[in-house]
Amino acid sequence: MTMQLPDMRLPFPINRAGVELLSAKEGCRLRAYRNFPNEPWTCGWGETDGVGPNTVWTQDYADQRLCDSLKEYAGAVLEACTVELNENELAAFTVFAYNIGLGWKGKKKPAGAKDGFRNSSALRHHNAGKRQECAQAMLKWCKVEDGKGGLRVLEALKSRRMDEGALYLRPVPGAVAPAM
């Protein structure tokens, strides 16, 4: 079975490894769906903005929406990082942020704001030059509400975070691998 990919002729802002990771984890559905009750309606490659219960997209539209969204997320990732990123780190962080959200900006959390990439310990570790700790910190984002006021680990999210961390740590061809 071959993995479905978006149209790779589009100008994606991240490398192929990142697009393949996102494609494998999100999948593409052209009719609106919900992963869990009370979660937002989703369509295409995991898009929620402007999606309702009757949303139906074409494959071309879903692919273009993904490309456009990844440009926004990659830009926000680059803006948040004070330490330069290699192409695998940018791809991993962009895919990570696409799933958990960007979070709020600024020094003080606005009322009702949700945490996300900008507020993550993964970003703090990256900006401190702590690559191993950064990849480990991504694993903190693998829980969902249990319906009883608590959280539970979702194995699919744990697997995704492990894959994002592995991509983050993967050496770029031709570059010297950092010490482990």
Side-chain angles (χ1 to χ4, degrees):
M1 184 170 122
T2 59
M3 176 177 59
Q4 179 184 3
L5 291 172
D7 183 348
M8 294 306 293
R9 295 172 295 185
L10 292 170
F12 286 101
I14 61 174
N15 64 18
R16 185 178 180 100
V19 175
E20 287 179 357
L21 174 58
L22 186 141
S23 300
K25 298 303 180 178
E26 292 287 348
C28 184
R29 293 167 65 178
L30 301 177
R31 291 188 179 278
Y33 65 96
R34 281 185 165 156
N35 285 315
F36 302 100
N38 302 321
E39 285 211 351
W41 287 98
T42 305
C43 198
W45 298 97
E47 297 281 343
T48 57
D49 190 36
V51 176
N54 299 317
T55 300
V56 178
W57 289 350
T58 65
Q59 189 65 57
D60 287 343
Y61 184 75
D63 293 353
Q64 187 62 58
R65 279 283 299 259
L66 175 63
C67 184
D68 293 345
S69 290
L70 289 180
K71 287 177 186 175
E72 176 188 341
Y73 281 89
V77 165
L78 288 168
E79 183 181 298
C81 291
T82 59
V83 171
E84 189 174 337
L85 295 157
N86 69 38
E87 68 181 73
N88 287 333
E89 292 166 343
L90 174 61
F93 267 174
T94 301
V95 172
F96 179 59
Y98 183 85
N99 186 247
I100 70 168
L102 292 171
W104 49 275
K105 275 184 168 182
K107 300 211 183 276
K108 186 175 180 202
K109 184 176 183 174
K114 291 187 176 190
D115 289 341
F117 174 74
R118 291 182 185 111
N119 324 105
S120 70
S121 56
L123 175 61
R124 284 192 299 280
H125 286 306
H126 171 81
N127 284 338
K130 299 177 180 178
R131 297 180 80 252
Q132 292 293 326
E133 291 89 341
C134 172
Q136 281 296 120
M138 289 179 179
L139 283 172
K140 294 179 181 177
W141 294 82
C142 65
K143 297 176 183 163
V144 295
E145 293 180 12
D146 65 5
K148 301 172 188 167
L151 299 172
R152 67 178 173 87
V153 171
L154 188 64
E155 289 303 317
L157 282 179
K158 185 176 179 183
S159 170
R160 180 180 181 137
R161 300 298 170 246
M162 291 172 69
D163 290 346
E164 290 162 350
L167 177 58
Y168 176 86
L169 293 172
R170 185 185 307 164
V172 174
V176 175
M180 298 298 257

